[in-house]
Structure formats: C-alpha cells, structure tokens
Amino acid sequence: MEQFITQFSALLPTLVFTLFASVVIFSGVMVIASKNSVHSVLFLILAFFNAAGLFVLIGAEFIAMMLVIVYVGAVAVLFLFVVMMLNVNFEEMREGFQKYLGLGLMVASVLLAELVLVIYWALQKPTATASVEHATLPGISNTANIGNLLYTYYVYPFQLAGLILLVAMIGAIVLTLRTRPGVRKQKISAQLARTKEQSVKIVKVETGKGI
C-alpha cells in the first residue's frame, strides 16, 4: 500500500499537468470552433483557469493569480458582457471570410516567422536568462523574486509602462467624452463658491397662510 501511494505521489504532477494541458488545448480549439460567441468567451475563461493551474505547477503562483484576476476577472468578463449586450450579426462578418483568407494567411505567416525568430534568439542568448537567475534570491517565494526584479533591475521600464497606461487611460476618456447641450452637470467650483445667501432663503410665513 505504501509503495502504491509513493508511486501515485510521483505520478500525480504528471497526471495533473496532462489534465490541465488537455483542457487548455480543448478550450482553445472550442474558442474558435464554437458557433455561439458567448460559448467562445466561456471556453476562453476555462482556458485561462487551466493555464493558471499550469503556472501553479511550475511554481509561478504570482503569474497564475494575475492571470485569474486580470484576464478572467476583467478582460474575459468584459468580452462576455460586450458580446451579450451588442447585437452583432456574426453571419455578415463571416461572409467576407473567404475574400480576406489570403491576406489573413499572409499575416499569420509573418507572425509565425517572428515567433520562430524570437524563440531562436532566446535559445542562442543564454546570458540574459543567466542574469535574471542571478538576480533572484534563493529561499524566497516566486512573488518576492518578481517584486525584487521589478523594483530594482526593471524599475524604469516598470514606471514607463505605468506612464503609458496612464496616457492611454486619459486618451480613452478624452476620445469618448461628449458634450451635449441641455444636460445639467455638477460644477464643484461653483458649488463651493456659493454663499449662504445664495444657498438658503428664509421666508417668514404668516400663520394660516402656508401651503
């Protein structure tokens, strides 16, 4: 019995990895194969959850947590609400599929070539990986190591990314801001500048003549 438990414990990570990986592949295929767009988003959420499980298996619990919080909790749910709220005619969108099939294949080929070049470059440059491994501290968690790298070696790119996101947020607000006549808006400065005489009017009503 103890030998069986030992063998099962040794095979458990492989079994869990096979389960998560199989569900991720199946969900990815169903995202593009499902005819219902709502079902595609639900399969995408399932793929994100299982991908987070794969990150937990390799010890990257911070990335797994961010994948669930950011992608599942925000992006995928936003996709789901947009698909459910907008009355999009997907049949009309599929009519021009064959027309632009050649252009799509060309773009996909370029992206595939870029991925192959990046992977080849990463395999030929082991020094970058070695420098990152040297920067991590042994004996602490993956989350602490990521925080140590972000706020020491990559603090300027990290701050630059935050600045870019801030500019993008301000640009989105400016682009979607619409001024409509006749709409009453709150003006904080005008409210704070009001005096007591402008805010309160005391009326003396005689007895028996009120409303």
Side-chain angles (χ1 to χ4, degrees):
M1 187 65 181
E2 294 181 356
Q3 184 178 2
F4 173 76
I5 295 176
T6 304
Q7 293 178 354
F8 180 77
S9 301
L11 291 175
L12 185 60
T14 304
L15 295 176
V16 174
F17 171 80
T18 304
L19 176 63
F20 284 157
S22 301
V23 176
V24 167
I25 295 174
F26 172 75
S27 302
V29 172
M30 292 304 298
V31 168
I32 60 176
S34 180
K35 295 182 178 180
N36 193 328
S37 55
V38 177
H39 294 168
S40 297
V41 179
L42 293 177
F43 278 116
L44 181 64
I45 294 175
L46 180 62
F48 282 150
F49 270 113
N50 286 271
L54 292 175
F55 280 119
V56 172
L57 289 178
I58 63 175
E61 69 279 355
F62 179 78
I63 301 178
M65 179 183 65
M66 295 303 296
L67 185 64
V68 173
I69 293 176
V70 177
Y71 285 91
V72 177
V75 178
V77 176
L78 177 62
F79 287 168
L80 182 60
F81 277 108
V82 169
V83 169
M84 294 176 63
M85 293 176 63
L86 296 181
N87 187 16
V88 181
N89 191 350
F90 290 96
E91 296 298 329
E92 294 182 358
M93 296 176 61
R94 293 191 183 98
E95 290 179 357
F97 176 75
Q98 295 181 353
K99 181 179 179 181
Y100 298 102
L101 180 60
L103 179 61
L105 291 176
M106 183 178 65
V107 174
S109 301
V110 173
L111 293 177
L112 180 61
E114 290 178 351
L115 289 175
V116 171
L117 289 176
V118 169
I119 294 174
Y120 176 77
W121 178 83
L123 294 177
Q124 297 297 322
K125 298 289 184 180
T127 54
T129 306
S131 62
V132 173
E133 292 178 353
H134 180 72
T136 57
L137 301 177
I140 63 175
S141 63
N142 178 262
T143 305
N145 272 322
I146 292 177
N148 178 54
L149 288 174
L150 282 180
Y151 293 104
T152 54
Y153 292 90
Y154 302 105
V155 60
Y156 293 115
F158 182 76
Q159 296 295 332
L160 181 61
L163 181 62
I164 293 174
L165 292 175
L166 176 63
V167 172
M169 181 181 67
I170 296 174
I173 295 174
V174 172
L175 290 175
T176 56
L177 183 63
R178 298 290 183 270
T179 57
R180 293 178 293 175
V183 178
R184 300 181 64 181
K185 296 183 179 180
Q186 184 181 17
K187 296 182 179 180
I188 305 298
S189 58
Q191 291 177 346
L192 295 177
R194 295 179 65 181
T195 60
K196 182 177 68 174
E197 291 76 13
Q198 295 174 335
S199 304
V200 181
K201 182 179 181 181
I202 301 177
V203 180
K204 186 176 181 181
V205 181
E206 298 180 6
T207 305
K209 295 184 179 181
I211 298 177

